[in-house]
Amino acid sequence: MVLRRTVRAVAGLTLTVLAAGCALTGGPSDGGRTTLDFFQFKPEAIATFDRIIAGFERERPDIRVRQNHVPDAETALRTRLVRDDVPDVLALNGDGDFGELAKAGIFHDFADDPVVDTIDPGVLEIQQALGVRADGEVNGLPFAANANGMLYNRRLFAEHGVAVPTTWAELIAAARTLKAAGVTPFYFTLQEAWTAMPVFNAIAANTAPADFFDRLRADRTTFADGYAETGRRLRQLTELGQPDRFARDYAAGNQAFGRGEVAMYAQGSWTLPPIRDVGPDLDIGVFPIPADTPEATRLVSGVDVTITVGRQTDRRPEALAFARYLLRPEVVAAYAKEQSAVPTLRGSEPTDPVLREVLPWFRQGRVAGFVDHQVPLAVPLAPVTQQYLIDGDLARWLRTLDREWEKVARRR
Amino acid sequence: MAVRTAHPPDTVAARRPRRVRRRRRVPAAFYAMVLPAFLLFFVFHTVPVLQGVFYSFTNYAGYGEWDFVGLDNYAAMLLDDRIRASYLFTFRFAIVATILVNVLALAIALGLHARIRFRTTLRAVFFLPNVLAVLVVGYIFKYLFGTSLPALGESLGIDALSTSILADPELAWLGVVVLGVWQATAFAVILYLAGLQTIPGDLYEAAAIDGAGRWRQFRSITFPLIAAFFTINMVLSLKNFLMVFDHVVALTEGGPGTSTESVSMVIYRGGFQGGEFAYQTANAVAYFVVIVVVSVLQLRVLRRREVSL
């Protein structure tokens, strides 16, 4: 009897402790105020979002927004999803990852929400192409867009009499001129595999067949058929970079370019804030990596930040209120200004002088999405490309991509 | 008949004095100590493991809907050359690192066991790497390999040193070995020191009288008598190195290319970043079995040559 009572007491106590532990991690309300869990992936924008949240909380004193940012946000989010723990409001990168989660039905459907009509149709289209749960659904609200091209140092260009290149041949010629004058034409940061992707995307948009991934998914083409030229040009460009390009990381690249040591830096508009931290007075320009002719050149742009709401959240009205607040014209504009982004609302324009330079491409609709967003994340595109840039074996790169694609397709 | 044969034990039990049965009972306090731990262990360890084994038979992506796929994940694993490459890297790394750690640790332990000056201080110094977090140290090593060593190589005019070994797919694994060995030696040293203290000093005296030199003493006395510690160190090192993860994250992130992707790295990347939760769970289950088998085999082989006084 004594034994049984003790066991029962101990078991009860343990369960109570467990339950209390669970309650502590999931307790969302304090004194009538609803607390929203706002998951945000962009470390550069923490302070900006803090200011936006303060503005929202002034307007809605009944809601508290807790900004949740972690390094390697995509992985962190997936580990939470495995536990069925979806944040209330999310700010995510509009990439292939977002598309896969949207298809799996993690996010709210905004299709009937009037806020959707305020968004630029072109930007919305790029995002919808990533994936939605079902046709006609809108699973995210584009909040900020980016431009992915070639950043350049105007002073160095002027000093060495180099004009902004409008064709691929001119770009290579410009790089050779700079190199002959003792200036590093390009800075690459290939210690981090992902930094090969912005260049890869920009070149692919102009060299690979436009319907390549549709045909690939239908099993009617291969990387070997469609991506050889992209690979050749990618390597040609990186070989004109500095010798220690495989031993330098993204932060080193931002510093080298920010200090005005190199002429060109193949990165997107998201890199502008960290570069300006280093070189506030640097005269930066930007141009799309050109195709063979100026007419064929297209600028690569994607959704840098998309706002969405967890489909199953218990705090939906509050979460939607915050999401709509974020999409207000003044909030979008303020964010775009601070983070050097392209605002996503109809008729809005970037205020950043660097981005105003690529405005014509946006206006004329000569914009392409990121091709790597079409590649499932299980295909290690970035490391395989990094490997190719080291060993220069084009045939092996194409073969590996084809094999990885096939393997992943077979497993799905 | 049957009824009759069934009876005797009962009657014996009934006749037995009550006191004896009471005394046989284990006091409740022991259960009170074991049960909470068991419950916590079961809830936070066993249940997730079983869940993982369960998911390895599905096509669960970590979110959304899923179906049973039977052994498909395990079959696909056998054909996956990325997984094969990661096994090759991990075993090569683990074997080299285990040997290096044990050779180094044994040498350092012998030195620290001798009557040298500042023995306590030196012991503390050698234990230091074990206290520091691998990730933090890893970033320091990354800087050493990526910036300091190449700068040194350049100023000395040594070509082989002037590029970062972490940027070379053929050599990057050596960088991981250096970090791994540096960090793991400390703990092995402690175990060997403990082992050396179990050997009575008169054995050496007797051996010295018989005319055995230092090397002979080591070979015939020291090493056989710390064999149990050698076994446990070898098994622990190999097991820890087979699960290498943070060393790789801090130094190379699996690169350049995919040349330093360890098995845990592939499981983490594919499972959480690649949306193939179930597939990589299958990989994890298979790898768990591999590690258990390797450890048991190792234990058996090494145990055979252990001796005791």
Side-chain angles (χ1 to χ4, degrees):
Chain A
M1 265 340 249
V2 176
L3 168 70
R4 209 179 289 156
R5 219 183 307 141
T6 319
V7 169
R8 212 184 289 151
V10 166
L13 187 73
T14 314
L15 287 179
T16 320
V17 168
L18 287 181
C22 295
L24 272 181
T25 53
S29 69
D30 61 306
R33 263 178 116 191
T34 310
T35 302
L36 288 179
D37 180 8
F38 173 50
F39 185 93
Q40 187 280 104
F41 83 104
K42 217 177 169 62
E44 302 94 331
I46 293 168
T48 310
F49 274 117
D50 272 340
R51 278 191 284 279
I52 294 174
I53 289 169
F56 176 71
E57 285 179 341
R58 265 198 301 281
E59 211 169 278
R60 291 288 302 264
D62 57 320
I63 304 177
R64 208 173 66 120
V65 180
R66 198 180 56 201
Q67 185 180 178
N68 182 346
H69 47 78
V70 289
D72 200 357
E74 253 127 48
T75 313
L77 180 61
R78 276 171 190 265
T79 51
R80 288 186 59 174
L81 294 182
V82 172
R83 303 196 307 260
D84 261 340
D85 173 23
V86 187
D88 301 312
V89 185
L90 305 95
L92 299 175
N93 189 210
D95 57 9
D97 207 29
F98 174 83
E100 283 187 17
L101 297 180
K103 274 185 227 161
I106 306 290
F107 306 133
H108 178 74
D109 177 19
F110 290 93
D112 300 325
D113 202 311
V115 72
V116 173
D117 300 324
T118 65
I119 295 165
D120 183 271
V123 177
L124 191 60
E125 196 185 312
I126 286 182
Q127 177 177 294
Q128 292 293 88
L130 299 173
V132 286
R133 180 172 171 271
D135 273 344
E137 285 203 6
V138 177
N139 297 125
L141 306 166
F143 177 66
N146 57 35
N148 175 40
M150 187 67 87
L151 303 175
Y152 70 99
N153 183 325
R154 279 178 200 279
R155 186 180 57 82
L156 284 175
F157 265 47
E159 250 171 47
H160 298 281
V162 176
V164 172
T166 56
T167 66
W168 179 260
E170 282 177 25
L171 175 65
I172 298 299
R176 295 224 164 100
T177 310
L178 289 161
K179 198 170 186 180
V183 177
T184 305
F186 302 106
Y187 198 90
F188 288 104
T189 56
L190 295 165
Q191 188 189 67
E192 285 180 72
W194 76 268
T195 64
M197 290 296 102
V199 210
F200 167 81
N201 282 307
I203 296 176
N206 290 325
T207 48
D211 60 347
F212 177 80
F213 282 97
D214 289 330
R215 290 169 55 89
L216 187 63
R217 276 186 287 264
D219 224 0
R220 296 217 316 276
T221 187
T222 59
F223 279 99
D225 281 343
Y227 267 75
E229 186 58 22
T230 306
R232 250 192 298 278
R233 289 191 180 188
L234 181 61
R235 178 142 165 101
Q236 192 180 4
L237 221 54
T238 52
E239 292 209 305
L240 285 162
Q242 86 285 11
D244 61 0
R245 56 186 172 273
F246 296 110
R248 292 288 165 263
D249 61 9
Y250 180 58
N254 297 341
Q255 287 195 358
F257 187 75
R259 283 196 300 261
E261 291 165 9
V262 290
M264 288 180 267
Y265 188 36
Q267 275 285 359
S269 49
W270 57 84
T271 317
L272 289 170
I275 288 176
R276 288 200 176 114
D277 282 346
V278 181
D281 305 321
L282 193 70
D283 196 359
I284 310 170
V286 63
F287 59 88
I289 294 184
D292 284 329
T293 62
E295 298 76 39
T297 302
R298 292 199 299 163
L299 175 74
V300 170
S301 170
V303 179
D304 209 36
V305 183
T306 189
I307 301 291
T308 187
V309 166
R311 202 177 188 93
Q312 311 288 351
T313 173
D314 304 327
R315 295 166 284 279
R316 181 174 311 195
E318 292 86 0
L320 287 175
F322 182 52
R324 291 193 191 110
Y325 177 84
L326 286 169
L327 266 290
R328 280 197 201 162
E330 67 271 19
V331 177
V332 173
Y335 176 89
K337 183 160 185 272
E338 250 179 71
Q339 291 295 319
S340 302
V342 180
T344 51
L345 301 184
R346 258 177 222 271
S348 61
E349 282 179 359
T351 48
D352 192 301
V354 177
L355 287 174
R356 293 192 72 83
E357 213 168 327
V358 286
L359 211 51
W361 272 274
F362 281 102
R363 287 220 183 104
Q364 295 158 23
R366 288 162 62 194
V367 173
F370 284 76
V371 290
D372 68 339
H373 292 174
Q374 305 286 325
V375 180
L377 290 149
V379 175
L381 175 65
V384 168
T385 305
Q386 182 194 36
Q387 173 73 48
Y388 157 61
L389 293 175
I390 293 171
D391 64 31
D393 191 339
L394 180 66
R396 188 166 88 173
W397 179 60
L398 295 167
R399 211 168 46 232
T400 310
L401 287 182
D402 274 323
R403 206 178 46 224
E404 290 289 332
W405 178 279
E406 201 184 306
K407 241 165 39 186
V408 172
R410 218 184 310 128
R411 288 205 292 264
R412 296 252 150 131
Chain B
M1 282 300 272
V3 178
R4 274 191 122 193
T5 46
H7 266 273
D10 271 1
T11 46
V12 170
R15 250 180 251 145
R16 209 183 260 158
R18 281 192 148 199
R19 232 184 322 128
V20 176
R21 260 168 109 196
R22 271 245 177 101
R23 215 196 283 150
R24 273 201 175 169
R25 238 187 187 174
V26 179
F30 288 112
Y31 288 98
M33 282 185 237
V34 168
L35 262 177
F38 172 77
L39 271 177
L40 289 172
F41 190 82
F42 189 78
V43 170
F44 291 114
H45 182 270
T46 314
V47 170
V49 168
L50 293 178
Q51 244 177 344
V53 174
F54 171 78
Y55 278 128
S56 73
F57 299 112
T58 68
N59 62 359
Y60 189 46
Y63 46 82
E65 292 152 2
W66 51 270
D67 295 307
F68 272 106
V69 293
L71 290 171
D72 280 10
N73 285 329
Y74 292 92
M77 252 181 67
L78 295 178
L79 299 171
D80 193 335
D81 44 5
R82 190 179 174 200
I83 288 184
R84 208 152 46 220
S86 72
Y87 271 77
L88 272 179
F89 163 77
T90 312
F91 271 92
R92 186 170 60 164
F93 162 79
I95 290 168
V96 171
T98 303
I99 293 171
L100 283 178
V101 160
N102 282 283
V103 169
L104 266 177
L106 194 51
I108 295 173
L110 285 172
L112 288 177
H113 188 61
R115 247 179 255 110
I116 53 171
R117 276 206 231 181
F118 309 117
R119 196 164 71 159
T120 335
T121 322
L122 280 173
R123 280 186 184 181
V125 167
F126 276 104
F127 191 63
L128 208 64
N130 192 53
V131 183
L132 299 169
V134 180
L135 271 180
V136 178
V137 179
Y139 289 118
I140 299 170
F141 269 78
K142 187 175 178 173
Y143 186 81
L144 283 180
F145 286 131
T147 314
S148 309
L149 269 185
L152 187 75
E154 234 165 81
S155 65
L156 292 178
I158 307 169
D159 251 9
L161 265 185
S162 63
T163 52
S164 166
I165 62 163
L166 297 181
D168 187 332
E170 305 291 322
L171 298 178
W173 72 283
L174 288 175
V176 187
V177 169
V178 172
L179 173 62
V181 170
W182 184 85
Q183 209 266 340
T185 303
F187 187 69
V189 167
I190 295 297
L191 282 188
Y192 279 130
L193 272 177
L196 289 172
Q197 258 141 27
T198 63
I199 306 174
D202 45 6
L203 273 181
Y204 291 107
E205 268 169 47
I209 291 167
D210 286 346
R214 284 274 166 216
W215 173 240
R216 185 62 206 257
Q217 287 179 17
F218 172 76
R219 240 185 35 196
S220 304
I221 302 174
T222 315
F223 195 65
L225 286 180
I226 58 164
F229 294 87
F230 178 72
T231 305
I232 204 70
N233 255 336
M234 289 295 276
V235 174
L236 278 185
S237 305
L238 191 69
K239 182 219 126 214
N240 282 337
F241 285 131
L242 283 177
M243 303 203 300
V244 61
F245 180 74
D246 26 10
H247 303 70
V248 177
V249 170
L251 275 189
T252 62
E253 284 182 66
T258 50
S259 59
T260 57
E261 267 189 339
S262 69
V263 180
S264 338
M265 189 82 188
V266 168
I267 291 171
Y268 167 77
R269 273 197 176 166
F272 288 120
Q273 300 178 328
E276 297 195 309
F277 182 76
Y279 178 60
Q280 292 302 344
T281 305
N283 190 6
V285 170
Y287 197 51
F288 167 74
V289 174
V290 168
I291 290 184
V292 168
V293 169
V294 167
S295 298
V296 168
L297 281 181
Q298 210 188 352
L299 211 55
R300 282 217 174 147
V301 171
L302 291 174
R303 273 264 165 83
R304 231 175 270 157
R305 47 167 300 284
E306 278 177 22
V307 289
S308 56
L309 281 176

